[in-house]
């Protein structure tokens, strides 16, 4: 079945540091890929997505490129802020039928210190 | 624009008591609806999903049930709560136009004592 593997956390960075959170996936078809962010005590927010190979999703300074050859969708940001502290989830969408389901990674906790 | 509501925000219930969590979506019609549970370890588990009124699919057999009495209303229930039902419950919706993209509600934190 489909699966998503993302780097284990926690990740601790200083403000303005470069961020990379690795995500790789296994899927039988051609999934869409997502990054969600969860701030403390809140629900998940869609951060960015990509629907086909070589697409780049971007939002709020975060970027991720759909790499079919390496089955990866790594999240990057050039300069993190304290307000980026949150849990980040990588996910893929199964297009096998009309009932789309998301398969999530286990989440990566990011803490940014001032 | 579309919005999703969940209530209550927080709930503390004794073991063996019933449960009813509600999720409603505004600004869209005939959405796909989903219930997830997030345990303390942060991972998300899909519990139920629905593609229409009265249509419920269960992903994991357990102590919970779901119903969809109206197009934009999704209810998670239990007749008798267990300690292991504690967690953060998230509802999500996806529109027909972009059915693969799910949008999440603010969640309900349930503590069973």
């Amino acid at each position: 079945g489909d699966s998503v593997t993302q780097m284990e956390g926690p990740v601790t960075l200083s403000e303005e540091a470069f961020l990379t959170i690795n995500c790789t996936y296994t899927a039988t078809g051609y999934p869409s890929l997502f990054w969600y962010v969860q701030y403390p005590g809140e629900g998940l927010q869609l951060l960015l997505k990509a629907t086909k190979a070589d697409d780049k999703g971007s939002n709020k300074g975060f970027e991720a490129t759909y790499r079919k050859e390496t089955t990866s969708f790594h999240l990057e940001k050039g300069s993190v802020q304290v307000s980026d502290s949150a849990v980040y989830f990588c996910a893929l969408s199964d297009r096998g039928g009309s009932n789309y389901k998301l398969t999530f990674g286990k989440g990566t906790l990011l803490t940014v210190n001032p | 624009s579309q919005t999703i509501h969940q209530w209550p925000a927080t709930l503390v219930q004794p073991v063996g008591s019933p449960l009813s969590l509600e999720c409603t979506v505004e600004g869209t019609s005939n959405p796909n609806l989903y219930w997830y549970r997030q345990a303390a370890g942060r991972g998300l588990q899909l519990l139920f999903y629905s593609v229409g009124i009265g249509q419920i699919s269960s992903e994991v057999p357990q102590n919970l049930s779901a119903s969809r009495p109206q197009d934009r209303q999704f209810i998670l229930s239990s007749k008798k709560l267990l300690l292991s039902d504690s967690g953060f419950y998230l509802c999500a919706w996806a529109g027909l136009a972009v059915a693969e993209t799910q949008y999440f509600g603010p969640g309900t934190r349930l503590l069973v004592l």
Side-chain angles (χ1 to χ4, degrees):
Chain A
D2 297 342
S3 67
V4 174
T5 302
Q6 58 183 106
M7 62 187 292
E8 295 288 330
V11 174
T12 302
L13 297 173
S14 298
E15 204 164 24
E16 300 184 0
F18 184 84
L19 169 71
T20 299
I21 301 178
N22 291 335
C23 172
T24 57
Y25 67 90
T26 302
T28 54
Y30 300 94
S32 291
L33 301 174
F34 305 83
W35 277 101
Y36 284 86
V37 59
Q38 185 178 33
Y39 298 102
E42 300 183 7
L44 276 69
Q45 297 179 22
L46 177 65
L47 182 58
L48 53 84
K49 71 176 186 179
T51 58
K52 61 183 186 296
D54 300 325
D55 266 2
K56 177 185 284 188
S58 61
N59 186 26
K60 299 180 181 179
F62 290 90
E63 293 183 339
T65 301
Y66 190 142
R67 300 290 188 196
K68 185 180 177 183
E69 64 276 13
T70 55
T71 62
S72 65
F73 193 54
H74 304 322
L75 182 68
E76 296 182 337
K77 186 175 185 182
S79 176
V80 294
Q81 306 300 311
V82 172
S83 57
D84 293 326
S85 298
V87 179
Y88 292 81
F89 291 93
C90 184
L92 67 82
S93 178
D94 173 12
R95 298 185 183 180
S98 61
N99 306 326
Y100 290 93
K101 301 177 190 178
L102 286 176
T103 299
F104 285 90
K106 294 184 177 180
T108 302
L109 174 62
L110 170 66
T111 301
V112 180
N113 295 318
Chain B
S1 64
Q2 301 86 7
T3 57
I4 179 169
H5 304 279
Q6 287 187 244
W7 64 87
T10 305
L11 192 60
V12 181
Q13 291 285 93
V15 169
S17 63
L19 174 72
S20 181
L21 304 181
E22 188 166 345
C23 169
T24 59
V25 181
E26 297 177 354
T28 187
S29 296
N30 198 25
N32 290 344
L33 296 172
Y34 305 83
W35 277 112
Y36 292 86
R37 177 167 59 199
Q38 187 176 32
R42 302 198 308 268
L44 285 101
Q45 179 185 35
L46 177 62
L47 303 176
F48 302 94
Y49 66 90
S50 171
V51 299
I53 296 174
Q55 301 179 59
I56 308 295
S57 296
S58 174
E59 286 293 295
V60 182
Q62 54 203 313
N63 186 40
L64 302 169
S65 62
S67 62
R68 185 170 176 174
Q70 300 181 41
D71 181 43
R72 291 169 290 178
Q73 184 184 32
F74 204 24
I75 296 173
L76 184 69
S77 303
S78 174
K79 292 183 178 179
K80 289 185 177 181
L81 283 169
L82 306 173
L83 287 173
S84 57
D85 292 324
S86 295
F88 192 45
Y89 288 82
L90 291 160
C91 181
W93 72 273
L96 291 180
V98 191
E100 61 193 9
T101 303
Q102 294 182 23
Y103 299 92
F104 286 78
T108 294
R109 190 163 304 281
L110 171 66
L111 179 60
V112 182
L113 299 175

